[in-house]
Amino acid sequence: QVQLVESGGGLVQAGGSLRLSCAVSGLTFRSYAMGWFRRTPGKEREFVAGIIGSGLSSYHEDSVKGRFTISRDNAKSTAYLQMNSLKPEDTAVYYCNAAESLHSLVVMDLPPDSWGQGTQVTVSS
């Protein structure tokens, strides 16, 4: 059974930084692309960033490009999201997920029951 455990969220002032972690078990981590997503109340969950299994290629959604960086450590079966220059509009619950392709993450073609608990990020102005 796949388990995704997000951590690292918190309350930070605008302009600050946070590093989120996603610990994964139950799959061959290096064989899967990893992605970060977020959801704010009243809105659909949206894709934020994704990275292929080798870590050599990644894709970031336009609103976070240049501020957020996704990475992974295959030896630790963990994915990360470094978030810098945070803005109040980044406030959301952040989730990670795994898929066989980066495309599946970008279009969010993921099983409905595959999501973890997420981690809350709150950015104050």
Side-chain angles (χ1 to χ4, degrees):
Q1 183 177 356
V2 177
Q3 282 197 313
L4 304 160
V5 180
E6 302 93 343
S7 62
L11 173 63
V12 63
Q13 288 189 328
S17 298
L18 283 174
R19 188 195 196 202
L20 306 184
S21 298
C22 170
V24 181
S25 61
L27 53 76
T28 304
F29 184 73
R30 64 181 179 275
S31 298
Y32 285 80
M34 291 298 302
W36 284 97
F37 307 80
R38 64 187 179 186
R39 182 165 62 187
T40 55
K43 295 181 67 175
E44 295 291 320
R45 187 158 21 212
E46 64 177 1
F47 171 83
V48 174
I51 188 168
I52 65 173
S54 67
L56 295 179
S57 181
S58 62
Y59 177 77
H60 297 76
E61 190 267 332
D62 285 347
S63 67
V64 306
K65 204 169 292 184
R67 300 188 299 121
F68 292 9
T69 303
I70 188 171
S71 63
R72 62 191 296 156
D73 185 337
N74 285 350
K76 296 182 178 180
S77 296
T78 301
Y80 304 97
L81 186 68
Q82 177 67 44
M83 305 187 296
N84 300 328
S85 302
L86 281 160
K87 304 176 180 180
E89 52 263 43
D90 295 318
T91 295
V93 178
Y94 284 72
Y95 303 85
C96 62
N97 215 319
E100 293 185 351
S101 72
L102 184 55
H103 175 77
S104 293
L105 295 171
V106 174
V107 301
M108 296 183 62
D109 182 17
L110 301 164
D113 60 350
S114 64
W115 300 95
Q117 295 297 310
T119 186
Q120 175 72 48
V121 172
T122 303
V123 184
S124 63
S125 57

